[in-house]
Amino acid sequence: MGDILKGIWKWILAILIILLLGGAILAFRIFVIDKDFDGKSEEARKRLEASSSSSSDSTDTTSSKNGGSLGQKIVNGAKSIANSTVKGYKEDEENYDYNTYNFDEAFLMYEGERYHDSVKDVLQHLIDNSNGTFYARTAVTAVNFGNNVTVKYEGNLAEYQSAIQTLNDSVEEGLYDISFKYGGFGTYVNEIVITKK
């Protein structure tokens, strides 16, 4: 009986240690990792408060002179917030670059044996995706057609699109096999392999 109680106490102690460790990790995450250490956002908030308070101060003096109302203060404050929000979106948009790992999972529907029309759809879809900034510009390897080339995006969008279009033009009638190569320990697709049968 004493051995059973010792075993139970060991399990209870192990569970308590795990719970304490989990609580410490959670506290670290809340108070350290998720805390905003970026000084830019704090400065932006202070500037926004200063601009809104200066605009409200100016509306206070004009409203007292001209008999204005509280609604005018709110409208001016909303305009300054809207302007700063739009400015922030524009700055984010200018600094945004496409995600090199965000693979369009629609290609996975084409895996396996396919006719030439499906291959043309895949290649055209790659060209369409490359015009945007959301999806990765995935590499394509042609086997047994199109001079057995591998098309990779190397910083020049026009070359990438032209090479894929050339590959698309070289697709002949018949059966093809579409497969994928994975990168990052198999976590994302980094190449589409098209093999003519």
Side-chain angles (χ1 to χ4, degrees), residues 157-178:
L157 181 60
E159 280 181 17
Y160 175 77
Q161 290 178 336
S162 173
I164 291 178
Q165 187 59 51
T166 303
L167 198 60
N168 197 358
D169 294 339
S170 69
V171 173
E172 300 171 352
E173 287 189 15
L175 285 175
Y176 291 80
D177 185 65
I178 299 175

Side-chain angles (χ1 to χ4, degrees), residues 122-142:
V122 166
L123 295 172
Q124 185 58 48
H125 196 74
L126 274 172
I127 293 171
D128 294 342
N129 280 355
S130 67
N131 288 324
T133 58
F134 186 74
Y135 289 115
R137 293 164 185 163
T138 308
V140 183
T141 297

Side-chain angles (χ1 to χ4, degrees), residues 56-75:
S56 66
D57 290 345
S58 64
T59 55
D60 284 343
T61 57
T62 56
S63 64
S64 61
K65 290 178 184 175
N66 300 333
S69 67
L70 178 63
Q72 184 65 32
K73 288 186 229 178
I74 293 172
V75 168

Side-chain angles (χ1 to χ4, degrees), residues 4-56:
I4 294 174
L5 288 177
K6 285 181 185 179
I8 291 175
W9 280 111
K10 285 181 183 179
W11 277 104
I12 291 173
L13 184 62
I15 291 171
L16 286 175
I17 290 173
I18 290 172
L19 288 175
L20 287 174
L21 186 60
I25 292 171
L26 182 62
F28 181 76
R29 164 98 196 238
I30 291 171
F31 296 113
V32 177
I33 294 174
D34 291 341
K35 188 174 179 183
D36 184 15
F37 287 107
D38 185 12
K40 291 180 184 176
S41 60
E42 184 65 25
E43 289 174 12
R45 185 183 61 78
K46 287 180 181 176
R47 276 186 294 184
L48 179 61
E49 287 176 357
S51 66
S52 64
S53 66
S54 65
S55 66
S56 66

Side-chain angles (χ1 to χ4, degrees), residues 133-157:
T133 58
F134 186 74
Y135 289 115
R137 293 164 185 163
T138 308
V140 183
T141 297
V143 179
N144 299 332
F145 78 101
N147 298 327
N148 295 324
V149 298
T150 297
V151 178
K152 292 183 179 180
Y153 176 72
E154 295 174 351
N156 189 332
L157 181 60

